[in-house]
Amino acid sequence: MKFLVTAGPTREPIDPVRYVSNRSSGKMGYAIAEAALDAGHDVILISGQVSLQPPRAAKLVSVSTSDEMFDAVHRDASKCDICVMCAAVADYKPASVSPTKIKKRSENVSLELIPTRDILDSLGHWHDRRFLVVGFAAETNDVEKNAARKLREKNCDIIIANDVSSAKSGMDSDVNEVTILFKNGERQKISRAQKKIIARELVKIFLNSATIMFDKKDVMISERS
Ligand code: CTP
């Protein structure tokens, strides 16, 4: 099958030298890309700027802003069977980008931020889609309740909820602990483990769901014959 995976943070420029971003390391998305490749699948990895070595066999698309990530995802999504939106996309971007470096002044400054487009939501509501849509929910409180709301509102098939309140797991860490929420109301937990191990389990779950929900096995058989 063909995977599309987004990973890492986006950077929303303020001026030529400054940007708004977040602490995402990209480790979870890169681990999922690697696990899918190891299982013999094709991967398009759409990545914000991270300090990780991309898996050699992936088709890497490097992006910086949420708009670039949105466009890259929309270019390739319909060619894929499983879209995993692991990136920490900025929710807001500066209303305007200064073409020159903003100079220091002695008074307070405020930055006007406007909402970015929600990439996961746009895939979930894609008309007549034939691909599985997987989102992540990074939460610090009411983890499963907030994740269930995202699953419903963004019309995803699966949401992976992770608690990012602890420094020991989640963002920027090598380990994670996740709860998987399915559209049909089922839930499954993967207890604390290395992101690489969690990624392997997640890939199996995604393949199984895509096969059941979109009859993807038939697509593979007919492609081979
Ligand atoms: N996401 C996205 N585009 C955005 C914002 C988020 O595609 N502009 C995706 C993320 O890649 C992730 C999911 O939406 O798969 C949830 O992201 P998260 O940051 O947990 O939630 P938000 O929807 O941004 O809501 P909030 O920040 O209020 O928790």
Side-chain angles (χ1 to χ4, degrees), residues 39-51:
H41 303 279
D42 291 330
V43 174
I44 300 173
L45 176 59
I46 300 176
S47 177
Q49 288 177 20
V50 295
S51 52

Side-chain angles (χ1 to χ4, degrees), residues 85-87 89-91 116-120 135-139 150 154:
M85 299 295 101
C86 204
V89 185
D91 290 331
T116 58
R117 290 175 289 178
D118 194 305
I119 306 170
L120 178 62
F136 274 71
E139 308 293 347
K150 283 176 192 169
K154 302 193 192 204

Side-chain angles (χ1 to χ4, degrees), residues 72-100:
V73 168
H74 277 245
R75 248 190 322 268
D76 284 324
S78 62
K79 298 174 213 152
C80 297
D81 304 299
I82 298 176
C83 294
V84 186
M85 299 295 101
C86 204
V89 185
D91 290 331
Y92 298 95
K93 62 179 182 180
S96 62
V97 182
S98 169
T100 52

Side-chain angles (χ1 to χ4, degrees), residues 189-218:
K189 267 193 196 330
I190 304 182
S191 47
R192 205 171 133 79
Q194 293 286 320
K195 283 183 176 171
K196 289 188 178 184
I197 296 179
I198 291 188
R200 253 182 260 153
E201 289 310 307
L202 291 177
V203 163
K204 283 187 215 154
I205 290 167
F206 302 159
L207 290 165
N208 190 40
S209 294
T211 305
I212 295 166
M213 294 179 71
F214 298 99
D215 232 0
K216 288 292 184 185
K217 216 175 208 162
D218 291 340

Side-chain angles (χ1 to χ4, degrees), residues 121-209:
D121 187 279
S122 71
L123 290 189
H125 292 99
W126 189 294
H127 181 64
D128 261 356
R129 67 177 159 88
R130 295 276 305 144
F131 49 80
L132 187 83
V133 175
V134 180
F136 274 71
E139 308 293 347
T140 55
N141 55 288
D142 298 322
V143 178
E144 291 195 25
K145 184 169 156 247
N146 285 330
R149 185 176 47 80
K150 283 176 192 169
L151 175 80
R152 199 176 53 248
E153 289 178 357
K154 302 193 192 204
N155 198 34
C156 313
D157 301 308
I158 295 176
I159 277 268
I160 316 298
N162 69 329
D163 186 341
V164 290
S165 62
S166 147
K168 291 201 196 98
S169 60
M171 268 191 171
D172 210 13
S173 161
D174 287 326
V175 293
N176 211 350
E177 183 176 358
V178 300
T179 304
I180 304 144
L181 287 80
F182 298 87
K183 203 176 196 159
N184 65 4
E186 279 175 30
R187 290 185 185 190
Q188 191 177 329
K189 267 193 196 330
I190 304 182
S191 47
R192 205 171 133 79
Q194 293 286 320
K195 283 183 176 171
K196 289 188 178 184
I197 296 179
I198 291 188
R200 253 182 260 153
E201 289 310 307
L202 291 177
V203 163
K204 283 187 215 154
I205 290 167
F206 302 159
L207 290 165
N208 190 40
S209 294

